[in-house]
Amino acid sequence: MADQENKQYIIVHSAKYETTYNKKYLNRKVWEEPNFNMIKSYIPGTIIDILVKEGQVLNGGDSIIVLEAMKMYNDVQMPFKGKIVKINIEKGQKIPKGFIMIEIEPVA
């Protein structure tokens, strides 16, 4: 009976296939659409320097943060022309992967 509850149907090019999902698939991290207005850390590390202030308008490619990870300094850059809305980090703070460091909004 438990197998019957786990059966799912997938339709590919008008053909219907019956399948059973395994635990790894059912427990996977759910995909979420990326928000380009949030600059998240792509690796855990320590904030060495914050080069911007809230309200500042920057061009794409401008440096905004220096993040130390694995004994290397990583230069985090502005992805597009925008305004710094909120800074969620402090100098010397240790942050995990996926932490929202800075919130930005596009500027025309």
Side-chain angles (χ1 to χ4, degrees):
M1 187 69 178
D3 288 340
Q4 199 67 325
E5 294 172 3
N6 290 332
K7 296 205 184 227
Q8 300 288 327
Y9 294 96
I10 300 172
I11 299 174
V12 179
H13 300 294
S14 302
K16 186 176 181 181
Y17 298 95
E18 182 179 303
T19 187
T20 304
Y21 296 134
N22 60 19
K23 282 185 182 180
K24 183 177 179 181
Y25 179 82
L26 294 172
N27 295 328
R28 76 192 185 284
K29 182 179 176 184
V30 179
W31 181 84
E32 60 182 55
E33 187 173 348
N35 183 349
F36 296 108
N37 295 333
M38 306 277 185
I39 298 179
K40 294 182 178 181
S41 60
Y42 48 88
I43 190 168
T46 305
I47 303 299
I48 298 300
D49 201 5
I50 303 169
L51 308 171
V52 295
K53 292 184 169 58
E54 288 184 9
Q56 190 173 353
V57 177
L58 300 164
N59 293 318
D62 290 347
S63 296
I64 53 176
I65 299 170
V66 178
L67 175 70
E68 180 189 11
M70 299 172 57
K71 298 181 182 178
M72 293 181 65
Y73 287 1
N74 297 283
D75 182 31
V76 180
Q77 298 178 345
M78 193 74 165
F80 51 80
K81 184 174 182 180
K83 178 181 174 184
I84 305 295
V85 176
K86 187 173 181 188
I87 299 174
N88 299 319
I89 52 175
E90 296 177 358
K91 193 172 180 179
Q93 180 180 354
K94 294 185 185 302
I95 56 170
K97 178 181 178 181
F99 186 82
I100 299 173
M101 300 185 291
I102 293 185
E103 299 174 25
I104 57 177
E105 66 182 21
V107 173

